[in-house]
Amino acid sequence: MVKKEILIVDDSEINRSMLRLMLEEEYDITEAENGAEAMAIIEKDDHIFRLILLDLVMPVMDGFQFLQELGNHKLDPEIPVIIISGDSSEESLDKAYGLGAVDFFTKPFNPSIVSHRVQNVINLYSHSYRDMLTGCYNRNGFIQIAEKFIQKEEDVTKYSMMFFDIKNFKAINSIMGNSGGDYVLKFISNGIQKSNLNPLFVARLEADHFVCLAEKGLVNYTSMMEENGSLLEFNGHTLQVRFRAGVAHLDIKRPVVEFMDRAKLALNYIEDEYLKPYAEFDGKMAQNYVNAAVVTSEFETSLDNGEFQVYYQPVMETSTGKVASAEALVRWIHPDRGLIRPDLFIPALEKDGYISRLDLFVDMKVNSVIKKWKADGLPVVPISVNLSWMDFYDADMIQLIKDRLENDPNSSKDIRYEITESSYAALKENRSIILREMRRLGAQLLMDDFGTGYSSLGMLMHYQFNILKIDMSIVRQLEVNAEVPHIVELIINMSHHLKMKVVAEGVETESQLNFLKNAGCDYIQGYYFSKPLPEEEFKAFLAKHLAEDKILTY
Ligand code: C2E
Ligand code: MG
Ligand code: MG
């Protein structure tokens, strides 16, 4: 157990030693001979003092002056102070209380009273400002102290707010037990406080969420990356602890909570948790931000108002550069906020169960577009629709898909289904019959985001897929990590052995394309060829490619 720290400020060595004897079994004691020395220790800021025991009459800087300084001190005015003094005149006491002292002991000290009152004061103060587990601030304490600091500071642009969370904290808790989880939290809290960031204030907000306020100049991602992923030993387990950070640089004086929200929001924009486990807030994020409660309250009206639109991203055959297929990707064109990316509202819809309505909408839309284009004699390609794990619990939706496959056998060629491994759990719960049924009826299934999760291979072993999609986070690492090209080659070979075709997602550069071409990857999806396009633009894209004989017949 980490001991709580107490600072004893007294010019009499005998007094300090006496108090130390009474308290050192339970507390970690630091001593100072006068107010100035104590102030210097506090300013160094490598302690987390829970209490100061303060003599009033001392050379250099007396207790009153010290209280005054502490009161002005922007870093940590919230450490409670108990006066220990021979001078118990009413006048001195009044003055000391007026300057913020909270209690008073007279000499000679009674060990049992000292220990109880010390404990009481620490508890009283800790509950409201401190996180009991880690000793750093709690939400309340952080907001108060950071608010005070920001309001006093002339130029707030020198500072940054950072929001941290620990990767897989729930899993850590279940593997190592709660005591292991606590150990990790203390480790992270310590790590943040002692890091090169040298933060002004650190808090644990809840669970594995930490915030800190630091000087902008000290926010150094290279050094953060070096500290990320340290190995921790606990009860015979060795564990790698990784964190992610969202950063909001202060621009003007705003309430602290706004910067905390911004830093937290930035977390959602981390694209690769390993290569770049941090993101900085920018104005666009706030504009895009949709609160989960707002999503679900607005969803049905927005759907009725036609605010959801389907975009189409072409997928090209690698060897010929012809259009082979496309993926339907939903967009929310919000009247006030503009285009909102699916990553920002799909998780909320999944939580509330609305996602299946949206998926069904996309599916029907795609079906009607294909039918219409065919009827008009326009070029078409197979289009894949994303299914959420929730869809496997929605009997109506599944029935509709099955009915269409049964009644309209052509539809299995036109519409394909993309499934991620997040559906694995749902499928295993006796629902694997659904996928088998769909396959029996001729549906083409794509394994989406291959390589991002733990059970991608499990999925392949249990279900048959027609096409495997290599996730874009892997494609991005092709030129960064020397092992990745081998892994990608192996995935492609394995897929071909299993009679699956392979799509590489997120291909942006010519060198990625060339590598994938040589490795035998069948199809390419990515900005290199095209971003997801609104319906009319996709129609034009197809027409243009038809004119150049660049559409694959199916
Ligand atoms: P996904 O199914 O893996 O879709 C591919 C995502 O990669 C799309 O993001 C696409 O815009 C993006 N992308 C494609 N090529 C590139 C590239 O070269 N560079 C970069 N940076 N990105 C590229 P999007 O549209 O934001 O969709 C995100 C995820 O949201 C999708 O990932 C999918 O899981 C989900 N989603 C989208 N539409 C639907 C839907 O109708 N229903 C369900 N259930 N999920 C959907
Ligand atoms: Mg997909
Ligand atoms: Mg994908």
Side-chain angles (χ1 to χ4, degrees), residues 328-343:
L329 293 158
V330 73
R331 297 288 180 265
W332 186 355
I333 318 286
H334 195 281
D336 309 326
R337 298 168 196 270
L339 193 149
I340 308 176
R341 290 179 11 192
D343 292 347

Side-chain angles (χ1 to χ4, degrees), residues 97-112:
Y97 282 127
L99 289 167
V102 300
D103 201 354
F104 176 78
F105 297 152
T106 38
K107 293 171 193 169
F109 306 123
N110 171 328
S112 145

